[in-house]
Every structure is written in structure tokens, then in C-alpha cells.
Amino acid sequence: MSNKQGNIVVIGSVNMDLVAKTDRFPQPGETIIGHQFYQIPGGKGANQAVAAARLGAEVSFIGCVGDDLFGQQLSKGLDNEGINLSGLRTVEGVSSGLAHITLTDTDNTIIVIPGANAHCTPEHIAAHESLIAGADIVLMQLEIPLQTVQYAVQLAERHGIPVILNPAPAHPLPNELLQGVTYLTPNETELAFLAGGLAASTHSLQIQLQVLLNQGVKHVVATQGERGVLFGSQDSSYIHHQPAHPVQAIDTTGAGDAFNAGLAVALAEGNSLSESVTFASAVGALAVTKLGAQPGMPTRDEVMNFIKQKG
């Protein structure tokens, strides 16, 4: 891994996660008893920004919070991580984004209420063009309006800045957007959705990955949870596989966000895609061993020690 410090701009959502822990998910119309409740700062954009900052990157965040108590708490949490918040807007008269999470020992379900995230407009992105122009890489997700994501991709393209798009939650994406994305990072569900098929086997995943490459994405990095990562590029006919690191999972909520941040940090430091996927996989593995998306994000030292131990 390079010693160069990457400059990353994260554009995306900020939420307060309201987490209920229980043995199993309730059936429709059923009431069950939970065990614990947590209020944890979240939002895919904020999660990825915190993770990238803890991994040693210089991070700027562009997004919106509401003018409520949650907004104050969320802003303070990001500021405490050393993240540049010149691009964080407080929207008057609007609640901050919320995520209602039900967590079992093995999985989670999430309902996202956008709130102020829906007010992250192209105009807001344009006001912070200088941040994008000075970045090594721009990292985005789909918890803000799609038109904003499209505009940000175009702006990054104009300045020659690579873009990582984590297409979560799954949403139809126009070809012109896909063609502007440098690295697309779907999980299995999102990959199947975007490629228009069912992820029934490793072979079908490879086909679906190739479909997205054929649509114009320069690189596709598809996470498969315990089965690792598949990744490929337009300039190569070979699909690579990075095995997962076996760990005892406690909370999988922030795993994808940790992976994306790790990928962004490694790429921003000038590492190859293969090296970056290896690093990102270690970041994602460590993140699931702790409770809470943002609190569970590992530090750079923790990741390097983990990689060294796995040897």
C-alpha cells in the first residue's frame, strides 16, 4: 500500500440509524419482542466518509442534514472524525434522514426515510465544484436524488476525476450515467437488478458483471459477502475473484460502506485495482466484527495489522 494520502470527496446521505435488535424478523402483521435498541449515526454517504477518514484519507463531505436535533448530532459526529464539512448544508424546516434497522444475528432489514437527503440538489453540488475538482476520487451512492448523482458524475468527468458509484439502494441507471462511472460497486442483489437477471450461480454473476462492462462501466467490483469479491475491467476479458476473510460477524450493517471506503482510499493512494480490492476486503471484514455502521469502521492501523496477521 502507498504512503500517499488520498483526497476523497464523498457525496451522499446522512441518516440517524434507529436500530432494533431481535432474534428474527417479524412476519407481516406480527409483533415480536426485541432485545436492544441503539441510536447510531449512519447514512451510506456519512458511513463511507467516516470509514475513509479513519483509514487516513483527507475527506470532504457534500450532503444535507435537517435543522433538528439529529442534524446537530450527525454534523458533530462527522466533524469529530476530522472530515471537511464545508459542503454539508443544514436545510431549514426539514427533518434529517432516518434509517429504521431491524438486526438479527445473521442479517438486517433497513427502511430509509430520506428527509434532508432529498434536498441534496445539483445546485448544491455545483456550489462545491472546487472540492470535486481537487479530489483524487469521488465516492457516491444512491440515497440522494438520482439527478444529483448524474450531475456530480458529469462534473467529475469534466475535471477528469474518477468516480466510484455504490449503486445502493438498487435503482435503474441510465446508460449515460453508467458510462461516466469509473468503478461500479454493486452487491449481488444490485448486480442482478442492474444486469436484468437472477444471481443463481457464480457463473451467472460473471455474466452479469460483463453485461455492465458492456454497457460502458470501466470497472465493476461486485461484493458477494462471505464468498468474496468478483471484479473486472473493460480492458480485460478476465474476471478476478478476491476471497473473503473469514471473521465472526456481529453486525453486517456497514460492511458494504466499509468496503467502498477502503476501495476509494486505496485507489486514491495510487494502488492498482487488484491491490485496492484486497485492501477493501480487509476493511469490510473488520467492520462486521463491531456493532454499528460508523462506530464499527476500523482504523488504518487495525486494517494493516489484520492484513499482516492473515499474511
Side-chain angles (χ1 to χ4, degrees):
M1 289 290 294
S2 167
N3 291 322
K4 170 184 178 289
Q5 183 184 40
N7 183 340
I8 297 171
V9 171
V10 181
I11 303 172
S13 58
V14 196
N15 294 328
M16 186 60 79
D17 290 352
L18 306 178
V19 184
K21 192 167 186 180
T22 184
D23 290 331
R24 62 178 178 84
F25 300 124
Q27 298 299 313
E30 181 186 19
T31 299
I32 61 175
I33 302 298
H35 301 307
Q36 292 169 300
F37 173 78
Y38 307 93
Q39 180 179 300
I40 305 171
K44 295 191 71 64
N47 292 346
Q48 293 175 11
V50 167
R54 291 189 185 175
L55 293 171
E58 180 182 341
V59 181
S60 297
F61 184 79
I62 302 176
C64 296
V65 293
D67 63 349
D68 53 8
L69 182 60
F70 285 155
Q72 296 173 26
Q73 294 172 338
L74 292 165
S75 298
K76 183 178 180 180
L78 293 172
D79 185 57
N80 288 342
E81 298 288 345
I83 297 167
N84 173 18
L85 299 182
S86 61
L88 181 64
R89 173 190 172 204
T90 298
V91 185
E92 293 185 4
V94 175
S95 67
S96 296
L98 294 174
H100 181 277
I101 300 172
T102 303
L103 180 66
T104 71
D105 288 337
T106 58
D107 212 341
N108 64 75
T109 61
I110 306 175
I111 301 173
V112 175
I113 302 165
N117 295 310
H119 294 260
C120 186
T121 61
E123 291 76 17
H124 180 56
I125 304 302
H128 301 284
E129 180 175 355
S130 61
L131 288 177
I132 294 172
D136 290 313
I137 203 157
V138 172
L139 174 59
M140 287 186 287
Q141 326 75 34
L142 296 177
E143 289 184 342
I144 58 175
L146 184 60
Q147 63 177 354
T148 303
V149 174
Q150 291 179 284
Y151 179 79
V153 169
Q154 293 168 1
L155 204 56
E157 269 194 299
R158 189 183 308 163
H159 291 284
I161 309 301
V163 172
I164 298 176
L165 178 61
N166 177 212
H171 192 287
L173 299 177
N175 278 350
E176 57 267 29
L177 172 59
L178 290 173
Q179 290 165 8
V181 171
T182 319
Y183 304 92
L184 190 72
T185 58
N187 62 20
E188 288 179 282
T189 302
E190 294 148 4
L191 176 64
F193 177 85
L194 291 171
L198 296 176
S201 66
T202 298
H203 179 65
S204 63
L205 286 173
Q206 292 175 341
I207 293 173
Q208 289 161 4
L209 192 148
Q210 191 63 54
V211 166
L212 292 176
L213 292 172
N214 293 343
Q215 290 178 350
V217 182
K218 297 172 184 64
H219 310 275
V220 178
V221 182
T223 56
Q224 302 176 271
E226 296 177 350
R227 291 187 300 282
V229 182
L230 287 177
F231 62 102
S233 305
Q234 276 189 6
D235 56 4
S236 173
S237 60
Y238 186 72
I239 303 298
H240 303 266
H241 177 251
Q242 167 68 42
H245 297 285
V247 293
Q248 182 64 45
I250 293 176
D251 181 3
T252 60
T253 306
D257 296 331
F259 178 90
N260 277 275
L263 185 69
V265 168
L267 289 170
E269 292 175 356
N271 296 286
S272 69
L273 179 56
S274 179
E275 292 169 333
S276 299
V277 169
T278 299
F279 180 76
S281 296
V283 178
L286 275 176
V288 306
T289 64
K290 300 178 183 178
L291 181 66
Q294 287 182 29
M297 295 304 178
T299 65
R300 179 67 168 241
D301 286 345
E302 287 174 330
V303 175
M304 299 311 294
N305 288 336
F306 179 76
I307 292 174
K308 185 177 180 180
Q309 289 170 7
K310 295 295 180 180

